[in-house]
Amino acid sequence: MKIAYISTYPPRECGIATFNQNLMRAIGSNFPERSGLLKGDFVVALNDSEDVHQYEYPEEVKYIIRQNHQKDYIRAANYINTSTADAVILEHEFGIYGGESGIYILPLINRLEKPLISILHTILKDPSYVQRVIIREIAEQSSKIIVMSQRAVEFLINIYDIPADKIQIIEHGVPDVEAPEDNPVKNLTPFKNRRVLLTFGLISRNKGLETVVRALPRIVKDHPDVMYVVLGNTHPGVIKNSGEEYRDHLKTLANQLGVAQNLAFINKFVVEEELIQYLSACEIYVTPYLNEAQITSGTLSYAVGSGAAVVSTPYWHAQELLDHNRGRLFDFKNSDALADIVIELLDQERVINEMRQNAYEYGLHLRWPVVGAEFIRVAQEASYEHDFRDKILKNSIVDPEIMPKFSLAHVLRLTDDTGIVQHAKYGIPNLKEGYCLDDNARALIMALMAHKRSGSREAFELLPIYLSYIHYMQTDDGNFRNFMSFSRQYLDDVGSEDSFGRTVWSLGYLIAKASSNSYKEFATEIFQASFPHFKRLVHLRGMANTIIGIALYLEVHPTDEGMTNEMIRLTTPLIDAYDANHADDWHWFEETMTYDNAILPLALLHSSQITGNERVKEVALKTMNFLDNLTLSAGYLTPVGNEGWYTRGGKFPLYDQQAIETMAMVLMHFQAYQIFRKPEHIEKMFLCYKWFLGENSLRAPLYDHETKGGCDGLLPTGINRNQGAESTLAYLISHLTVLEAFELEYEYNRFPQKLVGAK
């Protein structure tokens, strides 16, 4: 039995990393004829940075996934499938995988051809929609789901609708070691001649350590020899964002309460053998977590397994594990109740010894070799019953392997402290042409998409540049200028309706998607100041862009009746235009198809999604299908060229093809999928995106791998090699949209696929 493990792994300081290493050793310990880890077992490790060399892993780590790199997950699946592993064990915790709530793990497990056993470390009582989808999909792809408590089983059955026969309880393992009679920890200064209360683990605010500190004055009054020892490093994520602020807060609190001499920090990460020494040296082990929502606690399991006297708040795992007098419970944040229990136990040696004995005896069946044997049985059964041919394996509609690595290099080259320069000569910014509002609006959307996807600091730092440009170009009456010279001189008094609408779109996107309240509030202020000009729009594309911005705004302000009515009012001219111009052979809004064509049905899709208007949805579908038949019939995208446009009954202009046409097609089909949930829209979306990569009428790529920019267009003679902001942003927004769609692969790959052009 050879097993591949997907998990974080030491030396990364993470509880799941330690758990997985212990599990590997526990399984290996059941085969005494072999030493150490089983030959052929290996780990696919998760890194929390871009650097594959971030950690010096031991030899059993054979593959590394960078948390926010979607391609790494696909390649990891291929690596496991071609390995000699008989089964795969997945350690699952939402925070260790990339994408929203760790959704990047789904394409990996969807591709596995080996039996999968998944260990769920966190099961939420009130999951978000995406979190519930992830757990259900993991269960769907797994031969067995392993949890560590009965409460977890109840949640999976009642909240996530997972069949009971898919679930098995195997409790958290504990070290198979005994504390030495001559315990060196007892000679450490905080322990010597002290009665120690101990808490260990990575330190963060949710651990509730201040409850113990607040209980100390009463405890110390009766037992002045008590010392509260906090063993462990501050959580790396806390260090990154807040430094040692929490540890310093605890020290300050202890000083204010007069118990600074009764609080000690041992700031180190200890191995299991040493941990057992600490646990056996303490008088009482305390877990003062702040709320019940903890389905599993490894530290609590270790304390019980070592035979410690445990006092805890009644979170879910503690309620089960400390039952039958294996520990005592006190209410959340109740320092007085904690003090009462500790004083009672310290006063009665017989009571505390009885608790220790009960915990120790229960802990014998939690020892890692026992747990390892349980996992061996599960893996053998899964391997015996598994036939990957029964699993519906399909090639993904979206193939991330052919997509270039996302890069902001050219955007950063084009951007200065004013905004993004609109044009370039080849890959060099053309400062003579200055800036325009259209491009800064698109850049704002792109930067926010990039930040949401990977947490990119570079992308986040671009947001205020583009937003401040928009603000600077807003006139006193709420309208917008468009053009500015490199010397920061206004070049127009009022911009085009297109630039107005695109700006409203970008502001609506920021209001709907930004995580920063200050950005949302600023964008809302600019958005609302522009509102009086919505009524003055007369051109369809200006209206369409504005409709999209309003629809995004209404996603987070659904009760704003005035804005809803305005969106309906702006939608009406598009429907009227269709009614006035359509015929049996011409399902379009105008007699001539010009530029940015897909924006029109895209706007109707957004409008109908908010209002539920079936007539609007019908026109959106008819015009979308008409556009598809016209531009995708060759098996690749051929957008309407801008040399003469396409007039009904006239000749279709093949060139010049523009990148914004492609971006609009990508966005249109992704929006259509989100409404109708038909995989054909994902397929068409990806087909349109591949226009940038060379699947076009000239078979020429418009993405420049050297500069990371997008070429300005496709000419009859070849490629327009200039790489301005419009084309580069069109490519990047399309790229990010495809990656967002790829997160939903688990969903659309289950439906029969209809190939473009197939009859």
Side-chain angles (χ1 to χ4, degrees):
M1 174 60 61
K2 299 173 184 176
I3 299 174
Y5 298 82
I6 304 171
S7 176
T8 54
Y9 204 72
R12 180 174 175 180
E13 292 184 6
C14 166
I16 290 176
T18 303
F19 179 94
N20 193 81
Q21 186 179 58
N22 287 333
L23 179 58
M24 289 184 72
R25 291 172 176 170
I27 289 174
S29 71
N30 282 271
F31 299 90
E33 69 278 7
R34 305 181 188 182
S35 60
L37 300 174
L38 293 183
K39 186 176 181 180
D41 285 10
F42 65 89
V43 177
V44 174
L46 274 296
N47 275 17
D48 51 352
S49 83
E50 300 289 300
D51 183 8
V52 293
H53 303 295
Q54 179 182 8
Y55 301 107
E56 294 185 14
Y57 288 116
E59 62 177 355
E60 59 265 26
V61 174
K62 302 299 185 185
Y63 202 90
I64 296 170
I65 295 175
R66 292 163 295 178
Q67 181 173 343
N68 292 313
H69 279 247
Q70 287 172 290
K71 289 183 182 179
D72 287 0
Y73 293 82
I74 306 306
R75 292 167 182 166
N78 295 335
Y79 182 87
I80 294 169
N81 287 338
T82 55
S83 74
T84 59
D86 299 299
V88 181
I89 290 179
L90 171 75
E91 307 285 359
H92 183 264
E93 166 67 58
F94 292 111
I96 66 175
Y97 301 108
E100 184 180 354
S101 297
I103 200 168
Y104 288 4
I105 193 59
L106 298 188
L108 189 163
I109 64 174
N110 188 58
R111 285 167 168 75
L112 285 179
E113 298 172 3
K114 314 277 186 177
L116 175 66
I117 299 118
S118 295
I119 305 170
L120 304 185
H121 290 264
T122 296
I123 303 162
L124 301 173
K125 186 178 182 180
D126 298 301
S128 68
Y129 172 80
V130 172
Q131 289 164 341
R132 188 171 183 270
V133 162
I134 290 170
I135 295 299
R136 285 177 56 82
E137 185 63 18
I138 288 173
E140 179 71 24
Q141 299 296 335
S142 299
S143 300
K144 211 73 172 180
I145 292 290
I146 305 299
V147 294
M148 303 179 201
S149 66
Q150 183 58 42
R151 183 68 64 94
V153 175
E154 294 168 5
F155 282 4
L156 289 178
I157 294 172
N158 298 325
I159 299 171
Y160 297 85
D161 299 321
I162 295 173
D165 60 3
K166 258 283 175 79
I167 310 166
Q168 181 170 334
I169 296 178
I170 302 179
E171 292 190 73
H172 197 296
V174 302
D176 188 30
V177 293
E178 302 287 346
E181 291 186 15
D182 184 16
N183 190 343
V185 169
K186 292 183 178 180
N187 294 319
L188 298 178
T189 300
F191 285 79
K192 197 168 186 177
N193 301 319
R194 294 282 198 166
R195 304 186 80 179
V196 172
L197 312 180
L198 177 70
T199 298
F200 84 91
L202 293 174
I203 297 173
S204 60
R205 277 196 174 272
N206 64 336
K207 297 299 174 70
L209 305 183
E210 61 274 12
T211 305
V212 187
V213 175
R214 289 193 175 98
L216 283 178
R218 284 190 53 210
I219 296 170
V220 170
K221 182 179 179 182
D222 284 19
H223 296 277
D225 57 346
V226 161
M227 175 70 79
Y228 179 40
V229 175
V230 179
L231 171 63
N233 295 331
T234 300
H235 194 286
V238 175
I239 287 283
K240 182 178 179 181
N241 296 312
S242 308
E244 292 290 2
E245 180 269 337
Y246 182 51
R247 191 187 297 264
D248 293 340
H249 163 70
L250 295 173
K251 291 177 181 178
T252 301
L253 178 62
N255 189 57
Q256 292 170 346
L257 296 173
V259 290
Q261 300 303 313
N262 303 89
L263 173 65
F265 290 94
I266 300 178
N267 189 7
K268 63 184 291 190
F269 186 82
V270 297
V271 297
E272 284 188 348
E273 292 77 7
E274 193 177 2
L275 176 58
I276 295 301
Q277 295 172 12
Y278 277 97
L279 287 168
S280 62
C282 77
E283 199 81 16
I284 297 172
Y285 182 76
V286 186
T287 56
Y289 299 159
L290 295 177
N291 60 68
E292 66 178 358
Q294 180 139 345
I295 209 80
T296 305
S297 169
T299 59
L300 182 69
S301 297
Y302 281 21
V304 169
S306 68
V310 181
V311 177
S312 174
T313 49
Y315 55 91
W316 294 323
H317 194 201
Q319 290 178 37
E320 292 185 32
L321 197 54
L322 300 184
D323 199 10
H324 302 294
N325 198 31
R326 292 190 289 267
R328 298 283 290 276
L329 301 175
F330 67 98
D331 203 9
F332 301 105
K333 302 181 183 180
N334 192 333
S335 55
D336 285 333
L338 171 60
D340 290 340
I341 293 172
V342 170
I343 292 168
E344 176 192 348
L345 293 176
L346 294 179
D347 284 345
Q348 301 183 66
E349 194 69 23
R350 179 189 61 79
V351 174
I352 203 169
N353 286 337
E354 184 179 338
M355 277 175 53
R356 287 175 177 149
Q357 186 62 29
N358 291 340
Y360 177 82
E361 290 176 359
Y362 188 80
L364 291 175
H365 91 277
L366 303 180
R367 298 285 177 106
W368 274 118
V370 179
V371 169
E374 282 290 304
F375 272 96
I376 290 170
R377 283 191 283 274
V378 172
Q380 288 174 336
E381 182 179 329
S383 182
Y384 177 76
E385 295 178 351
H386 180 74
D387 184 347
F388 81 88
R389 291 170 298 182
D390 291 338
K391 185 175 180 178
I392 301 175
L393 294 174
K394 298 179 179 178
N395 292 325
S396 176
I397 299 172
V398 176
D399 182 5
E401 284 295 319
I402 72 170
M403 298 174 68
K405 180 181 177 182
F406 180 81
S407 173
L408 288 170
H410 192 53
V411 167
L412 293 170
R413 192 178 299 121
L414 292 171
T415 301
D416 59 20
D417 59 356
T418 297
I420 191 166
V421 175
Q422 69 176 307
H423 293 305
K425 294 296 288 183
Y426 299 97
I428 309 302
N430 183 0
L431 304 182
K432 294 179 180 180
E433 301 292 337
Y435 316 87
C436 73
L437 187 64
D438 298 81
D439 290 337
N440 280 274
R442 292 189 191 96
L444 183 66
I445 293 172
M446 184 283 302
L448 184 54
M449 291 177 75
H451 177 64
K452 282 169 53 64
R453 170 140 306 280
S454 64
S456 166
R457 191 72 201 170
E458 282 183 328
F460 187 75
E461 290 172 354
L462 290 172
L463 291 175
I465 296 174
Y466 305 136
L467 186 56
S468 65
Y469 182 89
I470 292 171
H471 175 248
Y472 189 67
M473 299 301 279
Q474 188 167 39
T475 58
D476 292 341
D477 68 352
N479 209 333
F480 297 97
R481 296 180 175 91
N482 191 5
F483 298 108
M484 179 188 286
S485 70
F486 184 66
S487 59
R488 295 187 179 179
Q489 301 298 311
Y490 295 129
L491 298 179
D492 55 6
D493 293 325
V494 177
S496 67
E497 288 193 8
D498 284 1
S499 65
F500 178 92
R502 288 172 186 140
T503 303
V504 171
W505 178 352
S506 70
L507 294 169
Y509 188 82
L510 190 63
I511 293 165
K513 309 296 183 182
S515 57
S516 168
N517 283 331
S518 62
Y519 287 164
K520 285 187 177 186
E521 290 166 3
F522 191 24
T524 301
E525 186 178 305
I526 301 171
F527 183 92
Q528 291 177 341
S530 71
F531 178 73
H533 296 275
F534 292 5
K535 292 179 170 59
R536 300 170 190 169
L537 297 170
V538 296
H539 298 293
L540 294 185
R541 283 160 183 78
M543 293 177 183
N545 282 286
T546 303
I547 288 168
I548 297 169
I550 297 173
L552 290 163
Y553 170 89
L554 289 170
E555 286 184 11
V556 290
H557 298 288
T559 59
D560 190 331
E561 292 186 9
M563 203 62 73
T564 301
N565 291 335
E566 187 61 24
M567 187 182 67
I568 294 170
R569 190 193 67 77
L570 286 170
T571 302
T572 302
L574 271 70
I575 302 300
D576 291 345
Y578 173 79
D579 289 339
N581 290 286
H582 84 278
D584 291 342
D585 63 344
W586 187 259
H587 290 281
W588 200 243
F589 306 89
E590 302 159 308
E591 282 291 312
T592 300
M593 299 184 77
T594 56
Y595 65 96
D596 217 1
N597 292 297
I599 288 295
L600 301 176
L602 172 61
L604 296 185
L605 289 170
H606 276 280
S607 179
S608 66
Q609 187 177 31
I610 296 293
T611 65
N613 188 304
E614 290 299 322
R615 170 63 177 158
V616 174
K617 188 184 296 183
E618 176 192 3
V619 174
L621 281 172
K622 286 182 176 180
T623 53
M624 182 172 63
N625 291 334
F626 179 71
L627 186 58
D628 284 347
N629 291 334
L630 193 66
T631 61
L632 293 175
S633 58
Y636 51 82
L637 176 64
T638 306
V640 174
N642 66 8
E643 286 190 344
W645 311 124
Y646 179 45
T647 301
R648 180 181 176 187
K651 184 179 179 182
F652 185 90
L654 195 57
Y655 301 103
D656 297 346
Q657 298 177 22
Q658 301 293 308
I660 59 166
E661 303 293 329
T662 304
M663 180 189 80
M665 291 288 288
V666 168
L667 293 172
M668 178 185 72
H669 278 295
F670 186 51
Q671 181 67 17
Y673 176 75
Q674 291 177 302
I675 295 174
F676 303 113
R677 285 313 200 245
K678 292 184 177 180
E680 65 187 76
H681 294 301
I682 297 294
E683 186 179 16
K684 290 177 180 178
M685 176 207 69
F686 192 54
L687 186 64
C688 293
Y689 165 78
K690 288 189 288 185
W691 179 88
F692 291 105
L693 306 185
E695 292 204 20
N696 51 52
S697 55
L698 290 183
R699 292 297 187 263
L702 286 95
Y703 176 74
D704 188 327
H705 290 266
E706 181 181 1
T707 65
K708 316 303 181 189
C711 296
D712 279 357
L714 207 59
L715 310 175
T717 54
I719 299 170
N720 181 341
R721 291 287 310 284
N722 294 331
Q723 297 168 24
E726 179 182 283
S727 54
T728 296
L729 293 167
Y731 167 74
L732 293 173
I733 289 173
S734 299
H735 183 104
L736 291 164
T737 301
V738 170
L739 290 180
E740 184 178 352
F742 182 58
E743 293 180 6
L744 303 174
E745 180 195 51
Y746 69 91
E747 182 180 86
Y748 53 72
N749 267 5
R750 289 189 175 174
F751 301 100
Q753 295 179 27
K754 178 182 179 298
L755 296 176
V756 173
K759 301 296 183 183

